[in-house]
Amino acid sequence: GEPSSTSDLNLTWDIDSWIDFVTEAKFKPIEEARPVYREFLKTFPTAVKYWKMFIEQEIEAKNYPEVDVLFKECLLKVPHVSLWQCYLNYCRLTTKNRENGTKILEQSYSYAIENVKYDTNATPIWKDYLQFLQDSPISGVEGENARATKIRETFDKAVEIPLANSKTEIWERYMFWLGELNRSLKTKLSEKRYPKQLQCQVIYRERKALDDNVPTMKLAIPPGEGNKEVEKLAVKYW
């Protein structure tokens, strides 16, 4: 029959029942949902989707101290791009209209980039950060020069990492921005950086081919408790 408690769920490692158990939390008030998420994440601490669900429910209820605690618990333990995107969305929300909001948001972007920069799926975070830098308010020629240097240095780092869609999302944007800034600098940097960017595109395709072979599992469970064939494939490609 149906597991009557989470201890029964633990014994059976019945993934579908666990997912039903946690999905119901979405439709409860946050005070009732919180212990459900806690119980689930204690058993499946790397379940990104459900960390995100829990956090978004707390944000919706404007329980910001709770949200801060959750991010401290999960961001470094489960450094998944979608969680970092969720964190940056939260930072944008909570720094809006604050006196030093731009500075805090820049620190948040730097923190995120530092932790996910080599993830091949981190392209949206790099792209958002570069757009944020380009949109940041400045004053005077010195400020303008400092901002241009920061944007160029950030582009330089991004084009030397094997990121998804880096040709259209990073490289072409970099060349467009340089063209607007200084055409002779664009020619010089294009010649210098393009061979590395091409190499990164090749590395990305190789990594993606490997990743595509790794079977996806709904949740991480102890070895021997899941589908044996899926486990063998996962071990082979990792």
Side-chain angles (χ1 to χ4, degrees):
E2 284 290 303
S4 57
S5 69
T6 54
S7 58
D8 289 344
L9 287 171
N10 261 325
L11 288 171
T12 58
W13 288 105
D14 181 342
I15 295 304
D16 291 330
S17 294
W18 267 109
I19 289 171
D20 290 345
F21 169 72
V22 74
T23 302
E24 283 175 19
K26 240 165 74 167
F27 308 104
K28 297 175 188 245
I30 189 59
E31 287 73 20
E32 290 174 37
R34 199 175 287 137
V36 175
Y37 284 121
R38 284 280 174 210
E39 184 67 29
F40 179 88
L41 290 164
K42 193 170 78 181
T43 308
F44 302 101
T46 59
V48 172
K49 177 182 174 180
Y50 300 99
W51 276 109
K52 198 162 170 275
M53 202 188 287
F54 186 9
I55 288 166
E56 284 172 349
Q57 207 163 326
E58 293 282 15
I59 291 173
E60 207 177 314
K62 295 187 167 57
N63 295 330
Y64 298 151
E66 293 283 348
V67 175
D68 292 338
V69 167
L70 288 173
F71 277 128
K72 275 180 189 156
E73 283 181 48
C74 72
L75 275 179
L76 299 180
K77 186 165 68 179
V78 195
H80 194 279
V81 167
S82 66
L83 267 183
W84 282 97
Q85 284 178 291
C86 181
Y87 167 72
L88 289 169
N89 290 340
Y90 170 66
C91 292
R92 279 191 285 271
L93 173 74
T94 53
T95 57
K96 208 168 21 180
N97 305 323
R98 279 177 67 175
E99 195 183 329
N100 56 348
T102 302
K103 189 179 178 186
I104 294 169
L105 195 48
E106 178 161 4
Q107 289 167 347
S108 303
Y109 270 115
S110 297
Y111 181 47
I113 288 286
E114 195 51 44
N115 282 282
V116 295
K117 61 186 171 188
Y118 296 121
D119 189 314
T120 54
N121 296 310
T123 315
I125 293 179
W126 280 103
K127 190 176 146 191
D128 283 354
Y129 181 40
L130 284 156
Q131 194 59 55
F132 165 78
L133 290 174
Q134 289 175 63
D135 294 342
S136 293
I138 48 156
S139 57
V141 177
E142 262 187 46
E144 204 169 317
N145 289 341
R147 182 173 71 174
T149 300
K150 179 82 173 170
I151 293 167
R152 183 177 52 74
E153 287 173 351
T154 306
F155 266 122
D156 282 346
K157 286 176 190 167
V159 297
E160 295 200 350
I161 295 172
L163 296 167
N165 306 315
S166 64
K167 184 175 185 291
T168 53
E169 299 295 299
I170 306 291
W171 179 258
E172 286 175 10
R173 286 167 189 270
Y174 187 18
M175 291 301 106
F176 178 79
W177 176 80
L178 275 175
E180 299 270 293
L181 183 76
N182 183 321
R183 293 196 69 80
S184 63
L185 182 63
K186 176 186 173 181
T187 306
K188 182 182 160 190
L189 286 175
S190 174
E191 286 170 5
K192 184 179 177 185
R193 302 281 177 203
Y194 193 57
K196 185 78 180 205
Q197 164 61 194
L198 274 181
Q199 191 185 354
C200 285
Q201 289 173 32
V202 171
I203 294 168
Y204 168 73
R205 286 193 292 272
E206 287 170 356
R207 283 188 189 171
K208 188 174 186 307
L210 282 173
D211 288 348
D212 287 348
N213 282 314
V214 177
T216 53
M217 291 177 260
K218 289 181 188 174
L219 294 167
I221 58 174
E225 296 290 349
N227 181 302
K228 302 290 183 289
E229 290 309 308
V230 170
E231 282 185 12
K232 271 185 205 167
L233 270 177
V235 170
K236 178 184 173 185
Y237 287 104
W238 276 114

